Every structure is written in structure tokens, then in C-alpha cells.
Amino acid sequence: MKHILFLLFLLSTVFGFKAKAQSDSLNWLEEVVLSDVKLKQNSEGQMVIPLTDSLIQRSEPLLASLLKYNSPFFFRENGYGMVASASVRGTGAAQTAVIWNGININSQFTGQTDFNAVNTRVFDEISLRPGGGSVIYGSGAIGGTIHLSNEFKFDDISSNRINLGYGSFDTYQANYTGRISNKSTSLNIGVAGISSDNDYQYPGTEAYNENGDFNNISVNASIAHWIGASDILKFHSNYYEGARGFSGTLNLDSNSSYEDRNSRNLLEWKNFSGKYTHSVKLAWIQEGFKYFENRDSDNFSSGEAETAILKYDLGYEISESGILNFTVDYTDVSGEGSGIDRAVRKIGGASAIWEQDVDQLKYELSLRQEITENYNSPLLYAAGVTYKFSDQYLIRFSSSRNFRMPTFNDLFWQNGGNDELEPETSLQGEIGAEVKFKNLNFQLTTYYIDINELIRWIPDDNGQWRPVNTAEVYNYGIETFAEWSSELFNNRIALRGNYAFTRSIDRRRGKQLIYTPLHKATFSTAYAVGDLSILFQSLYNGKIFTSTDNLYEVDGYLLATVGLDYTLKTRPKMSLGLQIENVFNKKYESLPSRIMPGRSVRTTLTLNF
């Protein structure tokens, strides 16, 4: 019944989706095509990897599944659909910032995002930006940032897409996306849901994944409207609600469950007045959770947090090649929970960014300072340079100081919080090169990160676990990214791959940090033969150490996925899809005793009109 009601809701949304077109002509700017403008304009010296809508639609709807096959990032997963965290350039889960339409949405309690609690189908574009970004995106942007964006287009075109799917382990999924626009208004709507019994058998054993069921729903709406020729209003709203059991390990059963919900709203006014650009943003974010140690009981622990953000940005075009931006912002955060009394954090910040384009050279310089009573905030800086030798070759350089502020759990947890914590800080630099030749694009980056005041929870003299600034870590490595497209037997073929070599060293021990593989590589190819599309994806994760002395480890693994899509000559346009995950039924785990699914099948039906 739940699935039927959800499908009816999708269909009612589709047939109720109407708008009145206007014929007013208006010159609109390229800026509004991408909501996260800072990503587009302020990434000099750094690599940005966009994942297009077509790639998002062909992949699993959970963000962890999409990124582990299409990025150099490593993901630690407690099982399919369970808690998943990212490690970018060898950094920890809380050192990667997830950015929603320009706003940092990492949890106020844990400082991180669960990548299996993000449904990709409600976003138009997902972009990856390895490297420091705290000047623009705030706390946690040490290893890199992952951007979830919604586009606006003013082209008098409407489109609708419905996707229905069913797969192994009684997994249902459905999503609807709709877009309608005229010359002055653009509206996007996305609704997506997934539900699974998730009771797969552990490959090579007689055991099953028990208590691993999950379901979630995401709703996203974005609208933009031009007010005259120089003012635009934008509004984004996103809601997520999920529930899941927490499956045990191979040797330990579990009967716990977790419910969470997140609400995010962002209003922006932007004005273009000659050489000046004014922007005012208002954001309101709510997060809440309930954890049941015994899902059959009414007893639970919980937490609620609310975040309000006010940001003003002034841009001034000093010359045809140079722009100066000043930003002031204020953030008010309050939260409480079973282990946290009413906690409040008020943060004021100011930043300045100078960017200039001089012939083949582009560079930017930026500074940021935050002020708060909860911790001593460091002065942050970033510098980036891109030099373009020709249309085929360029080099990049960037350097930055970044930070991660202590979370609510770190500071205020009743049974161990530490209000004397200092923020984690890092100094880092990277050098990269990009080569474009005909249909080939190749990028190579090498980097170094020095992290101080690393926050870790360790037992004190009384055996109580408390967070303290304990460790110093340095990371270095190489990342490569390549894509190539052409025609084979008069049919389109595309290849894409990346590789990461990562060293993350504890200075005191001289050992590789746990849960950080030395090697990760991905490869995918798509080939279209008439109305049939064939997709092949592979993933290699090297071994990871599970003890600080590097004596214990989890083996590396190689996975492969095959997908087929066939487009029918119907109206509306219809396509059928079949995807086989883990084709060779490989037994693997990214965390000890957390066995991932073996071979599984997913089928989809997609309607476009």
C-alpha cells in the first residue's frame, strides 16, 4: 500500500503540474544557469568534476553508490543503504563538506553527511571539488567539497520525467522531475523515494543481512523569477525523511533503528547594477533524528538542531578583467538532544575575494575571518592560479588554509563534551595540469595537506571517552581524471576513468591512517547502438588498515556493473533499463565484518514527456 500511495502521489504531481507562459522578453545572464555561482567563479587553481544529469539517472539513486563508481573518493559503508561516509584525499568523514545550492549542510551534531541519506534524483547536477574550500564554504571543507545543485533555465520549455524501478531484495524506487519556464520564470520540482527489505545473503556464507530494511523520500522545489531586467529572486526548498534498521555485523546481531529528517530552505535576491552586483541570502535549515536501541521499544534518544544564515555579498567590477567581492554573514545555530542540553552557537564572518583575468592568466586571492565565542577561529586564506598555454593545455596551482570547527557533540555532549577544543586546521597546496586533445580530456593533480589539532574521541584516565585535540597528520597523493568520446562503427562511445594514490600519515606513529586505501580506481564506458545503450562500470579499492599499527587490514576488491537501456519508439518517450550490480558476485567489505551485497539486479521504466 505504501508503494501504491507513493506512485499515486507522483502521478498527481505530474498531471497537476501546470503554468501560464508569459511572452515578456528579457536578457538573462549565464549566472542563473548554475545555482552555486561560487563553484563556477571561484575555483581557480582547483579541479572541478561535474557529474551530468544523464550519468545521475543511469546510476543508483543513493549518493554513495553514484560517487564510489564515478569519483576518486573512498566510501566507508556499514552495508547497502546503511551509514556511509566519505574520505577525500585521505581526510576524515567530517573533513568533507556537502554543499546544497551554495550552503554547507553538514550535520551540526556530527559535522558530516551520511551519503546514503541523499537521493540524487532530485538534483540537476552534482559536482566534485577536491581540495580546500573553507574560505567560501566554511567548516569541514578540508579534503574537498561535494556540490548538489539545481539549475534554472529560461527557455519556454517544459519537461517531465517519471522513473519507476524494482530490484533485488524487494527494492522499490520511484522519482518524478519536472521543469517549466518562460522568459522570466523557471520552476523545477523533484520527488524521489526508495524502499528496500535489504535482506541480501552474504556471499560465500549461509548468513543474511538482517535488520537492514530502509526507506526514504526526498522532495525538492526550486523557482526563480526575474523582476525587471536587473533583479532576480530565487527560492530553493528541500525535504528529506528516512527510516531504517541498523544491520549488525557478520558476528553480531542488531535490532536498532534510526529515523531522521532534514528541511532546508534558501531565499536569494540578486541585483545587477552596472559594475555592482548585490546578493542577499536567507537560509533556514532544520535537522532531527531518533535512535532506537531496540526498534520494538518506544524508548529512543534524539536530537534537534536549527540553523539560520544571513549572508550579504557585494561584487564590484573594478575593470574588465578584475572583480572584487566582499561578503559578510551571520549564522545562528541552536540544538538540543538526549545527550546535549540546549546548545547555542553564533558565528559572524567576513571575507574578501579578488579575481582577475589577464590574457592567459587567471588568479584569485581570498581571506576570511570568523568570530564566535565557542572556539578560536583561525584566519583563513586561499590563492589560486590558472595559466592557459593554449586551448589544449593549462596548469593550475592553489594553496589554502582551512579548518573544521568542533561539532555540537564535540563541545556539548553531557557525558564527554569538551568546550576547550580548538578547531582543526590545515595548510595545503596542489599543482595540476589539464590536457585537451580532440575528444580527450586528461587531468593530473598532486597535493599535500598538513592537518593540526585533529579532534579524536579517546578514553581519559577514568575510562570516559572525550574529544581532544591529539594528532597531527599529513596527507599527500596524486589524482588523475580522464574522459574520451568518439564514434565506433558510426555509434557513440564514451570512456571515463579516474585514479587516486593517497598517503595519509599519523606523524607520531609514521603509519597510514586506518580506513584509507592507498589506491582507488574507477573506469566506465557507455556505447550506444541505435536505441540500445550499454554501460559498463568497474571499481577498484585497495586494501585498508583497520589498526593504528597497520597490522590488521581489510582486503582490497574489484567490482563490475553492467547496464542496458532500450528506448522504445512510443509517445511519450519510454525506455526500459536493466542493471546488474557486482556481476561476479564478489564478497567484499569497506569496513570490518560489514559485508556488502553480492550480485543484484535492478530494472527501471522511464517516461519522458
Side-chain angles (χ1 to χ4, degrees), residues 454 456 470-475 503-514 548:
L454 190 69
R456 295 192 300 176
T470 60
E472 295 182 357
V473 175
Y474 67 94
N475 302 352
R503 288 286 279 162
S504 185
I505 307 298
D506 183 327
R507 285 188 181 276
R508 185 171 66 87
R509 295 178 177 271
K511 300 291 186 178
Q512 180 86 350
L513 291 187
I514 60 174
T548 54

Side-chain angles (χ1 to χ4, degrees), residues 273-313:
S273 301
K275 295 184 176 182
Y276 291 92
T277 302
H278 305 270
S279 173
V280 177
K281 288 184 177 181
L282 295 171
W284 180 259
I285 301 172
Q286 295 176 297
E287 61 174 298
F289 71 88
K290 291 181 180 179
Y291 172 70
F292 297 80
E293 182 68 28
N294 181 353
R295 66 187 303 171
D296 299 322
S297 169
D298 293 331
N299 298 322
F300 60 86
S301 57
S302 63
E304 300 273 350
E306 297 179 343
T307 302
I309 302 171
L310 172 62
K311 180 181 292 188
Y312 170 71
D313 184 275

Side-chain angles (χ1 to χ4, degrees), residues 137-149:
Y137 299 112
S139 173
I142 293 178
T145 51
I146 296 169
H147 299 256
L148 313 174
S149 303

Side-chain angles (χ1 to χ4, degrees), residues 435-454:
V435 178
K436 293 182 179 180
F437 181 74
K438 293 184 178 179
N439 300 322
L440 174 67
N441 181 12
F442 177 80
Q443 300 186 56
L444 170 67
T445 303
T446 180
Y447 62 87
Y448 180 86
I449 308 174
D450 194 326
I451 304 175
N452 294 296
E453 303 291 355
L454 190 69

